[in-house]
Amino acid sequence: MNSVISSHSPQAVSQAVSVLNAGGLVGLPTETVYGLAARADIDAAVANIFRAKGRPTGHPLILHIADISEIDRYAFNVPSAALTLAQHCWPGPLTLLLHKTNAVSHLVTGGRETVAIRIPANECSRKIIEQCGNALAAPSANLFGHVSPTTAQHVLNDLGDKVDLIVDDGDCTIGVESTIVDFTTAQPQLLRPGGFPAEDLELIIGQPILMPSGDSRASGMLDSHYAPKCTVVLAETIAEAKQALSEHDSARILEHWDNSPLYAASLYTQMRQADSDGITAIIAVLPNTSGLGLAIRDRLNKASFL
Ligand code: TXA
Ligand code: MG
């Protein structure tokens, strides 16, 4: 059995904290997508995250903390550029990849010596993390390989029978996952484009963030990921999209064709809606790569990969 509680309820924080402290799983709102959270220091709870999602255990989880001072508890040798980004961007849609301390179990990191950390912008979720007194491990609250959830209903649809409590804070404002930057390499690398545009991060630290190479490819960099059931057809222009539409029986063109926040915020909802409407194909216009465009293109490319 599970229940959904509004983030505005006076009991939301205390109920979520008691579920988490007892080793349970909570669907947690963030500004990017909903997370499936467990206390990162309770191994059985972390193991349950992988079980609930059907996620292979080698795929590491992001630690969610409430305050920047907690970085040192979970990471060491943090480069000054990483700290600068944390100070400028947190709370917000940025995840830093750092060297882990012994306070982080290998269960969370999929056996790696590195750990991904972020502070989510959602106020209710930050209070929950703070009152747990420990970081929460939380992947997106969807079944493995499926589209990330941007509403509490999406979490209920995917994981309703596997989660102990869902905190409902309405629609996620950003709608695509956090940007992940690897600071364990000689030069920072962009492991996943996301809700914080990479060019803005480069301006803040005054140095380039390289495209990933070698071992540092995140598992989110799998070719196929974030996929709805329907076929996803990509188009470079709206004219091309309209042409593709005329060639498919039951198809729909995704709304918003640019790199606007609206495209990102509605992307996963539009994909899930197409599936529940029984649409067989969605046609998406790829935005240019600036701003949120890089993340939108990345998710569309992965959703279209067969
Ligand atoms: O916006 C977000 O980041 C959301 C919300 C819930 O915070 N979380 C999220 O988590 O997208 P998840 O598990 O769906 O994606 C996390 C990505 C995965 O691609 C994972 O491989 C990568 O982060 N990752 C985490 N720890 C890592 C590590 N130690 N090394 C390399 N990649 C890591
Ligand atoms: Mg995910």
Side-chain angles (χ1 to χ4, degrees):
M1 273 306 288
N2 64 76
S3 52
V4 179
I5 189 165
S6 163
S7 62
H8 304 297
S9 157
Q11 281 87 43
V13 173
S14 60
Q15 272 199 28
V17 170
S18 62
V19 167
L20 290 161
N21 286 350
L25 300 183
V26 172
L28 206 67
T30 87
E31 76 281 29
T32 57
V33 300
Y34 276 73
L36 178 65
R39 274 185 65 131
D41 59 338
I42 304 181
D43 285 356
V46 174
N48 264 336
I49 290 179
F50 290 97
R51 205 168 302 135
K53 284 187 59 111
R55 173 161 163 148
T57 51
H59 288 240
L61 308 175
I62 295 176
L63 281 193
H64 294 67
I65 61 174
D67 190 272
I68 199 166
S69 62
E70 294 159 51
I71 288 190
D72 294 334
R73 190 168 156 194
Y74 304 108
F76 69 96
N77 271 350
V78 182
S80 63
L83 273 182
T84 302
L85 285 189
Q87 276 151 1
H88 275 80
C89 310
W90 285 352
L94 169 71
T95 296
L96 301 175
L97 193 70
L98 303 165
H99 297 287
K100 82 168 197 73
T101 64
N102 287 334
V104 185
S105 79
H106 281 123
L107 216 53
V108 167
T109 68
R112 292 167 176 76
E113 294 305 320
T114 57
V115 61
I117 304 180
R118 86 177 191 100
I119 302 183
N122 188 280
E123 215 166 306
C124 180
S125 292
R126 276 210 310 283
K127 278 190 197 145
I128 293 168
I129 300 165
E130 198 178 278
Q131 291 193 22
C132 277
N134 196 86
L136 300 180
S140 51
N142 52 278
L143 292 169
F144 182 65
H146 194 208
V147 178
S148 291
T150 55
T151 69
Q153 185 63 47
H154 294 164
V155 181
L156 208 52
N157 294 348
D158 270 28
L159 299 169
D161 53 343
K162 295 172 185 136
V163 61
D164 299 294
L165 181 71
I166 299 171
V167 179
D168 184 353
D169 192 52
D171 296 357
C172 297
T173 51
I174 296 199
V176 290
E177 299 82 351
S178 60
T179 303
I180 307 180
V181 182
D182 186 353
F183 276 100
T184 67
T185 43
Q187 295 213 60
Q189 298 193 7
L190 183 67
L191 289 194
R192 179 175 72 182
F196 215 115
E199 63 264 37
D200 295 354
L201 300 175
E202 289 177 327
L203 281 179
I204 293 168
I205 55 174
Q207 75 180 107
I209 298 174
L210 307 180
M211 288 319 248
S213 61
D215 292 343
S216 53
R217 277 165 54 98
S219 71
M221 295 291 188
L222 285 176
D223 289 331
S224 168
H225 219 78
Y226 312 100
K229 294 188 190 73
C230 62
T231 306
V232 178
V233 179
L234 305 180
E236 288 291 344
T237 62
I238 184 63
E240 208 179 296
K242 285 181 176 157
Q243 176 62 33
L245 184 66
S246 69
E247 291 161 7
H248 283 83
D249 283 339
S250 125
R252 165 187 299 169
I253 300 180
L254 289 190
E255 284 173 32
H256 309 294
W257 310 323
D258 48 19
N259 57 0
S260 72
L262 275 180
Y263 200 172
S266 68
L267 184 64
Y268 293 148
T269 299
Q270 292 197 69
M271 288 183 182
R272 283 176 179 262
Q273 192 63 47
D275 277 345
S276 63
D277 291 348
I279 298 285
T280 56
I282 50 179
I283 300 156
V285 182
L286 291 165
N288 70 47
T289 57
S290 67
L292 290 171
L294 194 63
I296 297 169
R297 283 184 82 101
D298 172 73
R299 305 308 187 271
L300 286 171
N301 275 313
K302 284 175 178 133
S304 73
F305 195 89
L306 295 175

